[in-house]
Amino acid sequence: MSMNTKVVINFDTKLFKKEHIILAAQDYTEPCWVLVDGSEDSVSAILIPKDGEIEKEELKDEFYNYVLATVKNY
Amino acid sequence: MAKKKSKKEDIRMVENLELRSNKVLISINPKFYDLDVVYSSLYNFLEKCYCKVEGDPNDEILVELKPKKKIRNLERMGREFNNELINYAAVKIRGLKTEGMRIEIVKRALTSHQPIKKEGTNAEGKNIEGINMPWKGEP
């Protein structure tokens, strides 16, 4: 399991609801190992690609975009 | 008398996973994941693992997964559990969002059922004057 492409993304709960991040994260559970946790102030999502072929920065940006899309659509 | 050497178990921490030689302990924030989400996630592991749930629902929940058959990659199993937590948390979120709609659909389905009304009878099948008339067939 490649730990080099571990991506950690933090979200401020003033701007993002925990529900949006969880819903977005659900769609990433197939290509990645995902951990989402947080507190009242912030929510963190940790993503690790299962096959290690995804670029770290690209994954981070894609996930962030996906959360934004979830905010819009949910 | 020779002292027995206690074998120190190798414990490795990876995020919320405590990896031991034959089991993995998963630390879960109960303020983030409801207990029913934890139990739903655990259900899928009951067949292949011996499972335990411990801790304080106000502070920290510890889930222990001990595979029934020895497996090499306990970290993978712990991560599968984390993924399941997210899946069931998402199911709950969607369920809550559609709850009102589902209740309304069921209400309408139940109230739209009307009994078949015969001519000259009321809704209960009695004749209009409220006297049940026996059937008199022709010989």
Side-chain angles (χ1 to χ4, degrees):
Chain A
M1 199 175 298
S2 168
M3 300 299 289
N4 293 333
T5 46
K6 177 173 158 179
V7 164
V8 183
I9 309 149
N10 298 310
F11 297 91
D12 188 338
T13 50
K14 290 189 204 76
L15 303 168
F16 296 93
K17 284 186 184 176
K18 154 191 154 181
E19 288 79 11
H20 298 143
I21 298 150
I22 288 176
L23 288 172
Q26 190 191 22
D27 289 338
Y28 275 74
T29 54
E30 205 179 303
C32 297
W33 303 114
V34 186
L35 172 63
V36 179
D37 201 350
S39 61
E40 270 185 39
D41 303 320
S42 73
V43 173
S44 296
I46 299 173
L47 288 86
I48 301 170
K50 287 181 183 175
D51 60 11
E53 284 180 9
I54 307 169
E55 274 290 317
K56 189 172 171 174
E57 282 306 309
E58 190 181 333
L59 176 60
K60 191 171 184 171
D61 294 339
E62 288 286 341
F63 183 74
Y64 201 94
N65 271 10
Y66 205 78
V67 170
L68 288 170
T70 309
V71 171
K72 168 76 174 67
N73 294 326
Y74 177 70
Chain B
M1 191 152 67
K3 281 184 185 175
K4 275 187 183 174
K5 274 188 183 177
S6 57
K7 198 175 178 187
K8 213 174 180 182
E9 192 183 0
D10 282 333
I11 298 173
R12 193 163 67 95
M13 296 296 302
V14 178
E15 281 130 35
N16 68 327
L17 309 175
E18 185 179 307
L19 304 168
R20 299 193 175 197
S21 56
N22 61 347
K23 60 187 171 187
V24 54
L25 274 76
I26 303 146
S27 171
I28 299 160
N29 178 357
K31 293 187 178 72
F32 202 83
Y33 295 103
D34 293 338
L35 212 50
D36 54 343
V37 168
V38 175
Y39 285 123
S40 296
S41 308
L42 203 50
Y43 187 79
N44 297 330
F45 288 81
L46 294 176
E47 205 177 308
K48 51 187 178 181
C49 293
Y50 298 114
C51 306
K52 275 186 194 174
V53 179
E54 291 169 323
D56 179 0
N58 296 318
D59 184 33
E60 181 190 24
I61 297 289
L62 285 167
V63 166
E64 180 186 298
L65 301 178
K66 186 177 172 183
K68 291 179 182 176
K69 289 179 186 172
K70 192 170 180 178
I71 60 164
R72 282 187 183 179
N73 204 334
L74 284 167
E75 182 182 338
R76 183 191 172 101
M77 194 170 73
R79 291 194 185 282
E80 280 175 2
F81 184 85
N82 283 339
N83 275 13
E84 285 297 307
L85 273 179
I86 289 162
N87 280 329
Y88 282 105
V91 164
K92 185 166 181 172
I93 289 163
R94 289 197 179 95
L96 286 169
K97 185 168 170 69
T98 59
E99 189 178 9
M101 202 190 316
R102 286 182 283 118
I103 289 169
E104 214 38 54
I105 289 169
V106 170
K107 259 187 198 172
R108 286 192 186 190
L110 292 171
T111 54
S112 67
H113 172 71
Q114 296 289 334
I116 299 165
K117 194 177 170 183
K118 285 183 185 172
E119 201 177 304
T121 62
N122 63 13
E124 291 165 11
K126 293 179 181 177
N127 74 12
I128 292 169
E129 288 175 324
I131 301 165
N132 274 327
M133 300 297 291
W135 180 76
K136 285 177 183 176
E138 300 223 347

